[in-house]
């Protein structure tokens, strides 16, 4: 019986062909062998269309990383994140040309579209902070009349890049601005008069490419922000399941909690115990977030096609009210490694592989 082949589709981060998640791919290739799954890594740049071959990146414990020409895989696990580069254009061309192949996961739309799709359903709308597409300063001004903190986020942003936080101060007509630029660097916080806010926002060129989102009170006593990263994945029977949740605490002066931006991970139970005093409230939160994660994943799959995993970023206030900040279709797994839960980290890596084996077997049976 032939061994099923899974190709992990990714993108180089630069012209030197640097792969960001190489240690994760190494673990996936190793774990795949244990499951009877042949796994290799490739990018659209590695595809020879004339020969219909892929110059695959392989890993062997004895030889290390090597390359050789391979046939197209039986299944593709798309790990590509948005880039502003010619490499991303190549990816879009690859998806169009080879869309007939078996993908474990299809791309989702931008954050604004996902918000619109989820807000159509009453069971999700109650978990969504008020959000609008940014057209101009008046959008921010109107929201700041209702809430003291507003976040401005790129609709296609990742890793905390380009996010601004605007807070209405107690002093009349004064605002406090913090954020990160497109390279994730923390910009110098500043207090400004309301008369300057419009000009500052216009300088960021946000029109139709940014969200204006209600700020949720998530600052810890030391002033750092925190949120929660929840990973839901399909298991070896093709059923959506919660893999795990971890807390994330941002770096000092950071408006985001992203690990790549200097944040660190904390176990979910430890974070929640520290944040919410009432034990019953904490139990209710856990039950609700698990149900929310599975239902959101199932619904988005019904709207966009095949998915195998999603990360949900959540804010939880002191009263245990849950807010879904955004959905990430290409989740990292470092939060579970950082909290020291090696088994949870292993599950996060193995579940897409187990699902691939199940999917391959199911497709074989149906033919």
């Amino acid at each position: 019986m032939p061994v099923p082949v899974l190709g992990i589709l990714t993108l180089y981060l630069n012209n030197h062909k640097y792969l960001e998640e190489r240690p994760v791919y190494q673990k996936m290739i190793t774990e795949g062998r244990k499951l009877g799954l042949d796994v290799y890594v490739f990018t659209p740049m590695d595809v020879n269309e004339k020969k219909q071959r892929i110059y695959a990146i392989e890993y062997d414990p004895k030889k290390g990383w090597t390359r050789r020409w391979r046939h197209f895989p039986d299944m593709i696990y798309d790990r590509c994140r948005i880039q502003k580069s010619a490499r991303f254009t190549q990816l879009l061309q690859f998806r169009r040309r080879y869309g007939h192949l078996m993908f474990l996961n299809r791309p989702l739309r931008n954050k604004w579209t996902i918000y619109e799709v989820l807000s159509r359903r009453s069971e999700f709308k109650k978990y969504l902070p008020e959000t609008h597409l940014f057209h101009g300063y008046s959008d921010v001004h109107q929201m700041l009349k209702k809430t003291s903190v507003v976040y401005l986020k790129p609709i296609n942003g990742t890793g905390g890049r380009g996010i601004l936080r605007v807070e209405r101060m107690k002093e009349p007509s004064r605002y406090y601005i913090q954020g990160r630029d497109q390279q994730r660097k923390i910009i110098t916080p500043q207090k400004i008069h309301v008369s300057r806010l419009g000009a500052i926002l216009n300088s960021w060129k946000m029109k139709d490419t940014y969200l204006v989102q209600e700020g949720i009170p998530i600052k810890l006593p030391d002033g750092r922000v925190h949120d929660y990263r929840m990973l839901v994945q399909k298991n070896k029977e093709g059923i959506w399941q919660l893999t795990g949740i971890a807390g994330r605490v941002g770096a000092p002066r950071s408006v985001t909690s992203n690990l790549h931006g200097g944040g660190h991970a904390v176990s979910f139970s430890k974070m929640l115990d520290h944040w919410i005093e009432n034990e019953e409230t904490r139990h209710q939160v856990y039950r609700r977030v698990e149900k929310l994660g599975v239902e959101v994943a199932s619904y988005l799959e019904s709207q966009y096609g095949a998915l195998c995993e999603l990360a949900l970023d959540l804010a939880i206030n002191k009263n245990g009210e849950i807010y879904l900040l955004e959905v990430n279709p290409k989740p990292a797994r470092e939060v579970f490694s950082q909290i020291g839960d090696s088994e949870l980290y292993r599950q996060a890596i193995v579940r897409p592989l187990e699902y691939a084996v199940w999917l391959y077997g199911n497709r074989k049976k149906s033919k």
Side-chain angles (χ1 to χ4, degrees), residues 241-287:
Q241 187 174 343
L242 171 65
T243 298
I245 313 175
R248 301 185 303 179
V249 178
R253 299 192 304 122
S254 173
V255 298
T256 67
S257 63
N258 304 75
L259 303 190
H260 287 299
H264 67 272
V266 182
S267 78
F268 179 60
S269 58
K270 183 178 179 181
M271 191 81 251
L272 210 60
D273 287 353
H274 178 70
W275 183 244
I276 297 175
E277 292 182 7
N278 186 278
E279 186 178 359
E280 179 55 31
T281 301
R282 295 196 298 267
H283 288 314
Q284 289 175 1
V285 165
Y286 191 85
R287 289 193 294 269

Side-chain angles (χ1 to χ4, degrees), residues 5 31 49 80 98 113 120 125 143 153 160 178 193 281 303 328 349:
V5 180
E31 293 291 340
E49 292 181 9
C80 300
Y98 298 104
T113 307
R120 292 180 200 144
K125 191 172 178 62
M143 193 175 287
K153 302 177 178 181
Q178 300 170 269
H193 189 269
T281 301
Q303 300 298 302
N328 186 336
I349 286 173

